[in-house]
Amino acid sequence: MDKINIGTKAYVYPMPVSIVGATVGGKPNFLAVAWLNMVNFNPPIVMLSLGGRKYTVEGIEEHKTFSVNFPAIDLMEKTDYCGLVSGRKADKSQLFEVFYGELKTAPMVKECPLSLECKLHSTHSMPSNTLYFGEIVGAYTDERYLTGGKPDMGKMNLFVLTMPDSNYWALDKQLDKAWKVGLKLK
Ligand SMILES: Cc1cc2nc3c(=O)[nH]c(=O)nc-3n(C[C@H](O)[C@H](O)[C@H](O)COP(=O)(O)O)c2cc1C
């Protein structure tokens, strides 16, 4: 076998970078989240995995709402800052222009190309992390990020994260069509 076993410190590769928002102490607070995925089709449910006792969790648990915002590369520094500094130590409420949807307590980031408004569905404790499942009740973008009425990644300039090397990567090349390119092999 030519494969090298690099141990267990390998992660899902690469990971999305998001800014999760909640209302804490009457103000918006944001943290960076990369351990995030879709976990249910109908209703659409996303799952965040949070370790330790994040300040944002206080707002998620109080209001049972949160937002998931996907930042473009121009927000990389602010996103990283949200992941470096806790709202317990610094006020992150003024970092972004905030808007609200129907839930009123899930602050979304206006500068982000795509924002999901979520209602807490359930939580699940893991050995070191807690999973927060959120039902998506609204998704917001700007006209300039749409093609044929659908969000277009090629227009959004999003970025992804790799761990354990802790690098951000651009994500700007569309390759082929999913559910189509493999048809050749059928
Ligand atoms: C790129 C990036 C991704 C992160 N992803 C996660 C994550 O998925 N889960 C988590 O618990 N913390 C994650 N963090 C760490 C939190 O964002 C960080 O602890 C944050 O300061 C918590 O803020 P709060 O205490 O104001 O909620 C990440 C940090 C960075 C920089």
Side-chain angles (χ1 to χ4, degrees):
M1 187 174 86
D2 295 330
K3 286 281 184 188
I4 301 165
N5 184 341
I6 57 169
T8 57
K9 286 279 180 253
Y11 303 87
V12 171
Y13 201 84
M15 291 180 258
V17 176
S18 75
I19 301 169
V20 167
T23 299
V24 193
K27 287 196 285 194
N29 191 68
F30 301 96
L31 87 165
V33 171
W35 290 20
L36 163 90
N37 217 329
M38 283 303 298
V39 293
N40 199 62
F41 187 70
N42 190 19
I45 293 176
V46 290
M47 184 211 71
L48 326 171
S49 173
L50 301 181
R53 189 71 196 165
K54 310 295 187 201
Y55 187 59
T56 313
V57 162
E58 293 181 16
I60 297 177
E61 289 180 351
E62 181 183 349
H63 299 287
K64 313 270 186 263
T65 58
F66 61 88
S67 70
V68 180
N69 308 270
F70 296 97
I73 288 169
D74 62 349
L75 283 184
M76 189 162 52
E77 281 180 16
K78 285 189 179 182
T79 305
D80 201 58
Y81 175 77
C82 286
L84 286 167
V85 176
S86 174
R88 279 196 192 89
K89 293 267 162 76
D91 182 358
K92 295 186 264 186
S93 67
Q94 302 299 316
L95 274 179
F96 307 108
E97 202 175 326
V98 165
F99 71 101
Y100 293 88
E102 65 178 77
L103 295 176
K104 309 296 179 209
T105 50
M108 290 179 275
V109 178
K110 205 163 190 183
E111 297 90 325
C112 283
L114 182 64
S115 298
L116 309 177
E117 185 185 20
C118 302
K119 188 170 69 177
L120 185 66
H121 174 276
S122 51
T123 62
H124 182 79
S125 295
M126 297 295 284
S128 68
N129 285 34
T130 304
L131 309 181
Y132 293 84
F133 297 89
E135 181 179 337
I136 300 170
V137 300
Y140 298 85
T141 188
D142 301 275
E143 182 67 41
R144 65 181 184 280
Y145 300 122
L146 295 175
T147 299
K150 291 182 189 164
D152 185 341
M153 264 265 310
K155 295 177 175 173
M156 292 187 185
N157 231 4
L158 305 182
F159 58 106
V160 293
L161 168 76
T162 52
M163 285 173 71
D165 58 336
S166 305
N167 283 314
Y168 293 126
W169 302 81
L171 190 63
D172 55 5
K173 190 175 170 205
Q174 189 259 339
L175 299 175
D176 215 317
K177 293 300 289 180
W179 284 281
K180 286 238 170 84
V181 64
L183 287 176
K184 294 175 195 134
L185 304 182
K186 245 187 151 183

